[in-house]
Amino acid sequence: MDPNQYAAQLQILQQRFEHQPDRHPGLSWPQVLERLQAAPAKLEVLVAMETSGGEPDLLALDANSGELLFCDFSAESPVGRRSLCFDRQALDARKANKPAGCSDEMAQAIGIELLNEQQYRLLQSIKAVDQKTSSWLATPVAIRKLGGALFGDRRYDQVFVYHNGADSYYAARGFRGVVRV
């Protein structure tokens, strides 16, 4: 990564971290910075999240693993990750009007995982997001085997998790991701 891009992303992350101290009680920026500097590949992932419109910020400290979880805090589903089927299987199954890609492959290319329902609800408890858009969520295998996939949004000041055919896609549906540092 270009040193200027590295420094710029660290500055953005620091500003977000310091602007929202209530999001991460018990953590200081120097602790986070140390982790990021020890994992330059993860910082490249955060740059990719930023570039695609995700506005990544620290979501939580995983109590089990001790990892920092960064996710997309953009107000709406990241603009650079919309109009996608859920996964490759769904994309290949479409006969007509195929979108440009699928969320699982784009997430893998960026280096992130789709948020699961628990992470999505945690994000929504911290910041109201997806009030005009929706986001694909990691989907249990049993649902996916039947052709479905989960997505979430916020309407009427409530968080909803729904289902849809995995091969569907909408201009206002994208996906949010998480990266562990």
Side-chain angles (χ1 to χ4, degrees):
M1 183 184 336
D2 176 294
N4 292 331
Q5 192 178 24
Y6 182 86
Q9 187 63 46
L10 285 174
Q11 184 177 18
I12 290 168
L13 291 169
Q14 181 177 3
Q15 288 172 347
R16 286 188 186 133
F17 184 92
E18 292 174 349
H19 185 69
Q20 301 289 340
D22 55 313
R23 288 184 184 170
H24 27 70
L27 286 174
S28 68
W29 176 249
Q31 292 171 303
V32 173
L33 180 60
E34 183 179 340
R35 292 268 189 103
L36 291 169
Q37 289 174 329
K42 300 294 183 165
L43 188 58
E44 288 185 39
V45 171
L46 290 164
V47 168
M49 291 170 76
E50 188 75 46
T51 302
S52 60
E55 301 175 20
D57 196 4
L58 184 59
L59 175 66
L61 175 66
D62 186 309
N64 295 326
S65 68
E67 295 168 308
L68 299 174
L69 303 180
F70 285 86
C71 84
D72 298 300
F73 271 81
S74 55
E76 301 300 337
S77 194
V79 70
R81 299 188 229 149
R82 295 185 193 166
S83 297
L84 304 166
C85 285
F86 181 74
D87 59 14
R88 171 54 63 179
Q89 178 185 356
L91 182 60
D92 289 345
R94 282 194 73 92
K95 302 293 185 230
N97 303 316
K98 288 189 179 200
C102 52
S103 61
D104 70 335
E105 287 180 355
M106 186 178 280
Q108 187 175 38
I110 293 171
I112 57 180
E113 302 168 15
L114 267 65
L115 287 179
N116 63 36
E117 182 177 353
Q118 180 183 7
Q119 293 163 338
Y120 187 74
R121 289 186 183 280
L122 175 60
L123 170 62
Q124 288 280 11
S125 74
I126 295 169
K127 179 182 178 183
V129 298
D130 288 337
Q131 296 182 80
K132 297 176 187 170
T133 59
S134 60
S135 294
W136 287 117
L137 301 175
T139 298
V141 173
I143 294 172
R144 185 62 197 97
K145 280 184 179 180
L146 296 172
L150 300 179
F151 70 94
D153 64 22
R154 178 184 283 271
R155 302 292 190 268
Y156 310 107
D157 202 28
Q158 298 293 313
V159 177
F160 294 94
V161 173
Y162 308 90
H163 58 88
N164 216 174
D167 64 341
S168 65
Y169 70 98
Y170 302 93
R173 180 168 307 147
F175 70 93
R176 293 175 182 278
V178 63
V179 62
R180 298 170 177 276
V181 179

